[in-house]
Amino acid sequence: MTPTWVRHAIWWQVYPLGFVGAFPTSEGSTAPGPDEHRLRRLVEWFDHAIELGASGIALGPVFASRTHGYDTTDHYRIDPRLGDDGDFDYLITEARARGLRVLLDGVFNHVGVDFGRYREATHDDTAAADWFRGRHGRFHTFEGHSELITLDHGNPDVVDYVVDVMAHWLQRGADGWRLDAAYAVPPQFWASVLPRVGERHPDAWFVGELIHGDYAAIVEQATFDSATQYELWKAIWSSLNDGNFFELDWALQRHTEFLAHFAPLTFVGNHDVTRIASRLVKPDHLPHALVLLLTIGGVPSVYAGDEFGFRAVKEERYGGDDAVRPEFTSPPLQLDGFGTEMWRLHQFLVGLRRRHPWLHAATTRSLRLANRHYVYETRSGDDALLVLLNIDDEPLRLVLPELGQARAEVVAGSAAPPGDTVGEVTLEPHGWRILRPV
């Protein structure tokens, strides 16, 4: 059973190692140690998360590793480059004081080459070798990365270990887990782990990282509460770039089917992808992407920096993620005009989401669909909004009775003052509106 607090969840996502300048280290410098307590620098930004309207902090890896955090060395130890247990406890305490939830990133498909059991396995320890897929020193690696060694998820000892790790950090104050590379792990493994963790911590939330496949079936088999909505992420930016709202409509139909089973984790940016401001061909369409994110059903997440309009491109090479995982100085940041505009828009739309919590379970229905025009109703029970998107170079005139609505109040948009009650709308080129039926 998904905990009730998730209905109001809006995450501000952070990649801690990059955020505090712990990885990658600059040329000629040494890795930071526990005495620098860099994890505490995240707390400086908690009030910013509150100002954004977020209700929780979704952390990337914070556990001991050699490099980027996804090559875990010790799941019970805070990465020394970030600090120690005391720093984690401080982070939790400060989050609680502000009413913020904390989501951890759990890497349980694979481990790094410094993981204790793996080092034992390479010294012909048969019991340790049973923890990993493969035998006789030829262990399976994750997606060809030689430094990422795949766990054997059929081993009961691995099941017990993951249960204990997850429960350990929930007991220390975390509220849930993002399960990295969950798509690579047999669903029956999660079905063995998560109910046991949930028995100890019934208010915890578990979201699996899925990219392709039958999301609803996998969520059910694995007993996840949620899954990452990569299908919709891709449809949002590519439909805006290609002038093809048919792709978006198809993805939203799929999204509505998912919502009958679970509330997906939705996003237009995260630590693994090119930032949305760089992905979109036309900056004028960045508001459209954000409007979509915050007016459809699911659990939305904003990646740190996107609210300022940060730009960065992910590249398919070693170190290709670094640009999208930058270091942040202490707040506040000095913003240019574009950054200020994006910040205010994020604040407004996240605030709209907070004032309409029913959007968590809202489903969408197309009212007008063309390559460059899209009008949809987002609804949950008696509550509804109309969203109008125009990415054409020409204005779009819409008569509301032809869309099944007599009149509507203007809630927000790229033009026209909020509060007006209208029976028709002329949507300027590359414009958008949010209306409330009356």
Side-chain angles (χ1 to χ4, degrees):
M1 180 68 69
T2 300
T4 56
W5 61 262
V6 178
R7 298 173 191 167
H8 302 274
I10 300 173
W11 298 106
W12 186 60
Q13 191 215 344
V14 176
Y15 174 74
L17 288 168
F19 195 96
V20 303
F23 181 83
T25 53
S26 58
E27 186 175 347
S29 64
T30 57
D35 58 322
E36 298 184 32
H37 305 285
R38 293 195 178 203
L39 190 61
R40 294 179 180 238
R41 284 173 48 182
L42 291 178
V43 175
E44 298 177 21
W45 283 86
F46 282 3
D47 289 339
H48 165 80
I50 295 292
E51 291 174 8
L52 173 65
S55 62
I57 310 296
L59 297 175
V62 296
F63 308 118
S65 73
R66 179 187 286 187
T67 60
H68 44 58
Y70 292 97
D71 53 341
T72 313
T73 297
D74 187 346
H75 291 91
Y76 291 101
R77 184 187 182 198
I78 296 297
D79 196 303
R81 295 169 294 174
L82 297 175
D84 54 28
D85 277 6
D87 299 314
F88 179 82
D89 293 341
Y90 173 75
L91 182 147
I92 292 293
T93 298
E94 292 298 313
R96 287 286 172 269
R98 294 166 174 81
L100 292 168
R101 301 277 177 172
V102 176
L103 186 72
L104 296 180
D105 199 345
V107 188
F108 300 119
N109 174 68
H110 49 269
V111 296
V113 293
D114 291 334
F115 186 73
R117 285 281 183 175
Y118 178 69
R119 299 188 75 165
E120 294 170 11
T122 59
H123 289 84
D124 298 323
D125 185 320
T126 304
D130 289 342
W131 274 54
F132 307 98
R133 287 178 55 190
R135 290 294 181 269
H136 309 300
R138 298 174 63 89
F139 296 111
H140 186 273
T141 58
F142 173 59
E143 296 182 349
H145 300 286
S146 60
E147 71 281 8
L148 304 178
I149 313 303
T150 307
L151 291 165
D152 185 341
H153 298 98
N155 185 336
D157 291 340
V158 174
V159 172
D160 292 344
Y161 174 80
V162 173
V163 168
D164 193 68
V165 168
M166 294 180 73
H168 171 82
W169 293 103
L170 291 170
Q171 185 63 39
R172 293 193 69 123
D175 294 284
W177 287 90
R178 171 194 176 271
L179 303 169
D180 181 69
Y183 57 86
V185 178
Q188 56 267 29
F189 172 80
W190 301 119
S192 298
V193 168
L194 300 184
R196 290 172 57 186
V197 179
E199 286 176 6
R200 301 188 209 177
H201 300 279
D203 213 27
W205 186 63
F206 308 106
V207 52
E209 184 192 17
L210 302 183
I211 299 177
H212 307 293
D214 188 340
Y215 288 3
I218 297 171
V219 165
E220 181 179 10
Q221 294 165 16
T223 70
F224 297 148
D225 293 308
S226 182
T228 53
Q229 228 306 23
Y230 269 96
E231 279 188 8
L232 186 59
W233 162 77
K234 191 269 179 183
I236 288 173
W237 61 259
S238 65
S239 65
L240 292 171
N241 281 348
D242 298 343
N244 179 17
F245 275 133
F246 288 92
E247 177 187 2
L248 177 63
D249 185 64
W250 180 88
L252 283 173
Q253 291 180 48
R254 290 263 295 170
H255 189 68
T256 289
E257 293 174 5
F258 299 150
L259 284 161
H261 303 278
F262 68 99
L265 179 67
T266 56
F267 56 93
V268 292
N270 65 30
H271 65 295
D272 278 331
V273 300
T274 290
R275 286 195 182 270
I276 188 67
S278 294
R279 177 70 76 173
L280 292 175
V281 173
K282 293 187 176 182
D284 288 350
H285 297 162
L286 190 52
H288 298 66
L290 191 61
V291 166
L292 282 160
L293 173 67
L294 292 167
T295 61
I296 60 175
V299 182
S301 175
V302 176
Y303 181 49
D306 282 358
E307 72 272 32
F308 300 133
F310 278 16
R311 294 178 172 87
V313 175
K314 174 188 171 73
E315 299 177 2
E316 296 301 325
R317 59 173 178 80
Y318 182 79
D321 295 311
D322 296 348
V324 298
R325 303 173 178 182
E327 181 175 3
F328 280 60
T329 58
S330 295
L333 296 184
Q334 296 300 312
L335 302 177
D336 60 14
F338 178 72
T340 300
E341 179 185 353
M342 287 301 101
W343 168 239
R344 290 174 178 167
L345 182 62
H346 274 78
Q347 279 188 305
F348 178 83
L349 290 172
V350 172
L352 176 73
R353 181 72 173 216
R354 294 292 293 268
R355 293 190 298 275
H356 297 79
W358 56 267
L359 282 166
H360 169 80
T363 58
T364 59
R365 178 171 65 96
S366 171
L367 302 179
R368 175 73 63 86
L369 175 60
N371 282 335
R372 298 179 179 273
H373 307 145
Y374 193 41
V375 178
Y376 64 91
E377 176 191 71
T378 183
R379 172 179 292 276
S380 179
D382 294 333
D383 296 305
L385 294 173
L386 302 181
V387 179
L388 291 56
L389 304 176
N390 180 16
I391 59 171
D392 198 19
D393 293 333
E394 300 296 327
L396 171 66
R397 181 173 176 269
L398 295 165
V399 179
L400 295 189
E402 294 178 1
L403 302 176
Q405 305 290 338
R407 296 179 68 77
E409 176 191 358
V410 178
V411 176
S414 49
D420 282 2
T421 299
V422 298
E424 64 178 60
V425 175
T426 298
L427 201 56
E428 62 282 357
H430 307 282
W432 59 275
R433 287 292 187 286
I434 301 174
L435 309 178
R436 181 183 294 109
V438 295

